[in-house]
């Protein structure tokens, strides 16, 4: 296959970009940083507490704008706590020198979204969050705003990931229908409308536990520690036998999709909102889905939900989001959950990897 094929670039193409200098880093990249269709991005050693979120704007550099917004600078080398409700900017270890035909898109990693830590990537000359234009040469920064919990971070921590693509290779609705007929993308009847729709499960077959709601006053989540935090210290269980819950304004919820979804080995996907005006809530769409997710092992999508101005009734089977599928430019050398240690393969309702199971 030509190295100029359109689509999402796989792991071996990302390795080639690193070898060619299109992706560089201030520290050696550890094993496991390259995913089947993305590259994890690592926090650097300094953080800036800023007054507000901002973009560089055309022709301007982030470093030149920092003095306008910085309240104080923090050293992360020994670990530091980023407080709930505050905005921080952290230079990343990775920087780019993209070819003229390669763009990039960033997203929070699944574990980051599941602790309600809003994080987005910005770049010099940027007019959008998480979007890097073709041919970009320069540094990357993570904007971090913990929403429900204060979090502890340190250099090298991976909160964001970046996906590279050449051209556009989004699967049309006709493509999705044909693929589902050949090999099901979802269990049950698919809702295909500018992507594969999915709904919320509020009526599980054998239990009343349907989700979790973040507690309002908790301790710190140490994002460097895996499987050590007690669920009850940070989350309230949500139970219902009525097939519905009422979302409280300002509250953050972890729910799960009714459907089990599959990402074929030659595709990647990204979670997106279904309809902007479907209700007074938002499904947090942090999350890339790598090739192989749910492939041969049914896996549901975990939904990170926040309610806005007024209480809202969410009902079983209500459509809340969609997966946008893209073709890979080439097959990855490893698949999610098959060739690598993947935290969420075969998942159902599941909190982030930081909590005891």
């Amino acid at each position: 296959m030509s190295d100029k094929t359109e689509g999402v670039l796989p792991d071996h193409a990302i390795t080639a970009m690193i070898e060619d200098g299109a992706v560089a880093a201030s520290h050696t990249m550890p094993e496991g940083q390259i995913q089947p269709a993305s590259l994890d991005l690592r926090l650097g050693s300094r953080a800036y507490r800023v007054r507000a979120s901002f973009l560089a704007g055309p022709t301007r550099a982030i470093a030149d704008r920092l003095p306008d917004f910085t309240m104080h600078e923090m050293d992360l080398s020994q670990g530091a706590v980023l407080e709930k409700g505050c905005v921080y900017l952290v230079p990343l270890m990775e920087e780019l020198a993209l070819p003229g035909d390669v763009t990039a898109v960033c997203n929070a990693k699944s574990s980051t979204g599941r602790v309600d830590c809003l994080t987005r990537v910005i770049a010099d000359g940027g007019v959008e969050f998480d979007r890097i234009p073709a041919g970009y040469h320069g540094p990357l920064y993570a904007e971090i705003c913990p929403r429900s919990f204060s979090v502890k971070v340190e250099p090298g921590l991976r909160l964001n990931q970046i996906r590279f693509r050449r051209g556009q290779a989004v699967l049309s609705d006709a493509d999705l229908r044909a693929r589902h007929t050949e090999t099901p993308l979802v269990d049950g009847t698919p809702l295909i409308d500018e992507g594969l729709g999915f709904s919320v499960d509020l009526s599980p077959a054998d239990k009343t536990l349907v989700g979790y709601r973040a507690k309002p006053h908790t301790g710190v989540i140490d994002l460097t520690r895996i499987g050590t935090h007690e669920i009850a210290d940070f989350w309230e269980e949500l139970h219902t036998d009525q097939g519905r819950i009422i979302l409280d304004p300002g509250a953050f919820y972890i729910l799960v999709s009714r459907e089990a979804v599959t990402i074929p080995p030659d595709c990647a996907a990204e979670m997106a909102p279904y309809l902007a005006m479907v209700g007074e809530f938002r499904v947090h769409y942090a999350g890339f889905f790598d090739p192989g997710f749910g492939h041969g092992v049914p896996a549901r999508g975990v939904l990170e939900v926040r309610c806005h101005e007024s209480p809202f009734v969410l009902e079983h089977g209500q459509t809340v989001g969609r997966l946008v599928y893209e073709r890979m430019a080439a097959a990855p050398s490893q698949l999610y959950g098959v060739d690598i240690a993947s935290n969420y393969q075969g998942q159902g309702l599941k909190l982030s990897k930081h909590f005891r199971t």
Side-chain angles (χ1 to χ4, degrees):
M1 180 176 291
S2 168
D3 61 1
K4 296 298 183 181
T5 302
E6 291 192 347
V8 174
L9 302 188
D11 47 9
H12 50 85
I14 296 172
T15 298
M17 291 178 67
I18 295 169
E19 293 171 349
D20 293 343
V23 179
S26 59
H27 293 70
T28 302
M29 294 187 186
E31 184 178 355
Q33 187 172 348
I34 301 174
Q35 303 299 322
S38 62
L39 174 72
D40 291 345
L41 299 173
R42 297 170 295 167
L43 300 183
S45 60
R46 310 296 296 176
Y48 300 88
R49 167 73 168 95
V50 293
R51 292 185 288 128
S53 172
F54 68 94
L55 291 163
T59 74
R60 305 191 68 178
I62 296 293
D64 294 338
R65 303 216 65 190
L66 266 174
D68 297 335
F69 302 105
T70 298
M71 299 171 67
H72 59 86
E73 187 175 343
M74 302 168 59
D75 181 5
L76 303 184
S77 60
Q78 302 301 313
V81 172
L82 308 184
E83 296 189 23
K84 178 173 73 172
C86 298
V87 183
Y88 301 86
L89 202 65
V90 181
L92 296 172
M93 291 184 180
E94 288 73 31
E95 60 180 52
L96 303 178
L98 292 180
D101 62 345
V102 173
T103 62
V105 59
C106 302
N107 217 320
K109 290 178 65 66
S110 294
S111 296
T112 311
R114 294 187 199 194
V115 294
D116 198 21
C117 188
L118 174 65
T119 177
R120 304 179 287 192
V121 171
I122 60 176
D124 291 347
V127 295
E128 291 183 277
F129 292 104
D130 286 335
R131 297 294 186 270
I132 312 298
Y136 174 76
H137 285 56
L140 300 173
Y141 300 79
E143 177 198 281
I144 304 169
C145 180
R147 303 290 300 278
S148 292
F149 314 107
S150 296
V151 297
K152 184 180 179 181
V153 301
E154 64 181 23
L157 190 66
R158 309 174 200 175
L159 301 184
N160 306 75
Q161 53 194 160
I162 188 168
R163 180 173 280 178
F164 304 96
R165 63 165 63 94
R166 182 177 291 109
Q168 292 294 330
V170 173
L171 269 63
S172 68
D173 287 352
D175 291 333
L176 290 176
R177 292 188 187 97
R179 279 180 171 267
H180 180 77
T181 299
E182 181 179 338
T183 303
L185 300 176
V186 63
D187 59 339
T189 303
L191 172 62
I192 296 176
D193 182 7
E194 296 186 4
L196 179 68
F198 55 85
S199 61
V200 63
D201 186 4
L202 296 177
S203 187
D206 56 352
K207 58 185 178 181
T208 61
L209 177 66
V210 297
Y212 297 90
R213 177 172 50 209
K215 290 185 173 182
H217 308 291
T218 71
V220 174
I221 296 179
D222 187 342
L223 297 183
T224 69
R225 296 170 59 203
I226 307 303
T228 57
H229 299 75
E230 296 292 344
I231 292 175
D233 291 341
F234 297 88
W235 301 95
E236 299 172 359
E237 291 188 351
L238 286 178
H239 290 265
T240 183
D241 57 7
Q242 299 178 333
R244 66 177 182 269
I245 59 174
I246 298 178
L247 303 178
D248 294 323
F252 178 75
Y253 300 83
I254 295 292
L255 306 173
V256 70
S257 72
R258 183 176 60 166
E259 300 84 4
V261 299
T262 295
I263 311 300
D266 63 340
C267 290
E270 184 176 357
M271 192 180 290
Y274 181 61
L275 290 173
M277 298 304 292
V278 75
E280 290 297 323
F281 69 97
R282 176 188 176 189
V283 175
H284 188 78
Y285 45 98
F288 291 143
F289 286 69
D290 273 339
F293 177 87
H295 187 64
V297 182
R300 302 189 183 193
V302 167
L303 312 176
E304 300 129 18
V305 178
R306 179 175 296 281
C307 187
H308 295 309
E309 283 80 7
S310 62
F312 185 81
V313 177
L314 192 60
E315 301 191 82
H316 176 70
Q318 185 168 344
T319 302
V320 294
R322 60 195 169 97
L323 284 177
V324 177
Y325 285 70
E326 293 184 83
R327 294 182 185 86
M328 297 293 296
S333 59
Q334 55 186 1
L335 295 178
Y336 186 95
V338 177
D339 305 308
I340 58 177
S342 304
N343 290 298
Y344 304 120
Q345 182 72 311
Q347 71 180 356
L349 176 65
K350 188 173 183 179
L351 295 170
S352 78
K353 63 185 180 182
H354 308 99
F355 295 94
R356 296 184 190 275
T357 56

